[in-house]
Amino acid sequence: CAIVFASRWRREERAVMASAPRAGAAFPWIALAAAMTAPNAFALATPVALARVPPRASLRTSRITATVNAPKRVRFLFSDTGGGHRASAKALKGALESMYPGRVECDMVDLFVESGVFPFSHAPAAYNWMAANPWAWKAFFETGATPMGLWLNEVLTDAFCGARYRALLASKPRPDAVISVHPLMQGPAMRALSSNDGGARTTPFATVVTDLGSAHPAWFHPDVDACFVPSDALHTLASERGLRGSQIVQHGLPIRPGFCVEPPSPQDKVEARRHLGLAEDKPTALVVGGGDGMGGLEAVATAVG
C-alpha cells in the first residue's frame, strides 16, 4: 500500500509540476514551488480520500497524512563562481519562504565545494583567478561551450563527483524538488537524482538562468522539468538548444526583497539624479558584467559615454 501511495503521490506532483507556468502567474520564476504548494499537491490527504481507508489502516493513514502535510523541501544548487548564483538562490529562497510560510523549507548546496573532489572543490578560487586574468576565463568559457567541452564536462563530473553528488542530493531532509542556479549543475545532478530515485528521476528539477543577455549553452538541458529565463534572447537560445516551449518560462531575474519596492515617482527620479550627480536631461545606461565585473566594463562604459 505504501508503494502504491508513494507512486500515486509522485504522479500527482509531476502532474502539478506540468502546470507550473500557470500556477505562478504573478511570479512565474517561482512557479515550480508554487505548483508544489497548490491544493492539488495534497489531494490524497483530503477527508474524502482518507474516509475510503479501512479502519484497521489508521496507523498507516496517520503516517501518510503526516507525510503529505509536511512542508515541501526545495534544494538549490549553486557555487560561488561569481556572485550572481548565490544571490539568486538566496532571493528565491527568501521569496518562497515569505510567500508560503510553513509550507516550504529551502536549503542551498554548493555542489562543487561540498563534493570535496579536486579540482571541483576549488572552483570558486579558480574562478576568482580567471576573473583577474580575462584571457583564461575567455579560453575556459569558449572551450567549455563547444560540443566536445560540454560532453567532457558531463563525463568528468560524473566520473569524479557522481558518488558525492548522489550523497549530497540524498542528504536529509531529502528534497522534494531541486532547482539549479548554476550552468554546470544540470545533467550530472539529474543523473544523481535518477540514481537516488531508483533509476528513473521522479524528483522535479528546474533551472533558473541567472544570465541576462547571453548564456553558456550548459544552462539549457533538455531533460529539465522547467527552465526559467529572463529575456527574449535567452528564450530563443533555450529553444535552439532543444528545449520545448512547455519547458521554458520567461520572466525577469530573481531579486532580493530589498529591491521589491514600488516604482519611483518622477519626482523621486529627479531627486535621485541630483543626489548622484547625474545630468537630468540625459539617459542613464547600466553596463553589467556579472558579480565580478568581467568583460572590460571600463572600456565599454567609456565607449558608450
Side-chain angles (χ1 to χ4, degrees), residues 35-277:
M36 293 195 312
T37 55
N40 288 346
F42 306 100
L44 292 178
T46 60
V48 174
L50 295 178
R52 300 192 184 102
V53 180
R56 286 183 295 179
S58 58
L59 178 59
R60 183 172 68 245
T61 299
S62 64
R63 290 173 178 168
I64 290 174
T65 304
T67 300
V68 174
N69 289 332
K72 294 295 181 180
R73 299 182 175 93
V74 181
R75 182 156 297 167
F76 291 95
L77 307 182
F78 79 102
S79 189
D80 285 317
T81 52
H85 306 299
R86 179 186 289 271
S88 295
K90 291 178 69 175
L92 290 165
K93 178 178 182 292
L96 290 175
E97 292 176 344
S98 175
M99 294 180 67
Y100 304 101
R103 302 181 67 187
V104 177
E105 294 179 355
C106 304
D107 60 24
M108 297 166 49
V109 176
D110 186 329
L111 278 186
F112 287 160
V113 172
E114 295 187 40
S115 73
V117 177
F118 181 84
F120 298 89
S121 58
H122 288 66
Y127 183 90
N128 290 336
W129 180 82
M130 287 190 289
N133 297 273
W135 63 267
W137 182 88
K138 184 175 186 293
F140 181 81
F141 183 97
E142 293 183 351
T143 301
T146 64
M148 176 60 74
L150 293 168
W151 174 82
L152 195 59
N153 171 68
E154 300 269 316
V155 170
L156 292 179
T157 305
D158 284 343
F160 288 96
C161 303
R164 285 295 298 145
Y165 278 19
R166 290 192 293 273
L168 289 168
L169 290 169
S171 61
K172 298 185 180 301
R174 186 168 175 177
D176 295 300
V178 175
I179 302 176
S180 169
V181 293
H182 195 281
L184 302 182
M185 295 178 183
Q186 326 305 326
M190 282 189 284
R191 285 189 287 277
L193 284 172
S194 295
S195 179
N196 290 347
D197 290 343
R201 182 175 61 84
T202 56
T203 303
F205 187 99
T207 299
V208 176
V209 182
T210 62
D211 291 327
L212 183 60
S214 62
H216 195 283
W219 276 113
F220 309 106
H221 198 290
D223 292 338
V224 299
D225 294 294
C227 179
F228 297 84
V229 297
S231 64
D232 291 339
L234 294 197
H235 192 290
T236 299
L237 186 56
S239 297
E240 293 174 350
R241 292 293 301 169
L243 273 72
R244 303 182 304 276
S246 59
Q247 292 174 288
I248 306 170
V249 183
Q250 183 174 337
H251 198 60
L253 291 170
I255 58 174
R256 295 192 300 274
F259 291 96
C260 297
V261 297
E262 291 295 324
S265 67
Q267 184 59 34
D268 290 335
K269 291 184 178 182
V270 171
E271 293 178 358
R273 283 177 176 271
R274 290 173 179 170
H275 178 73
L276 295 172

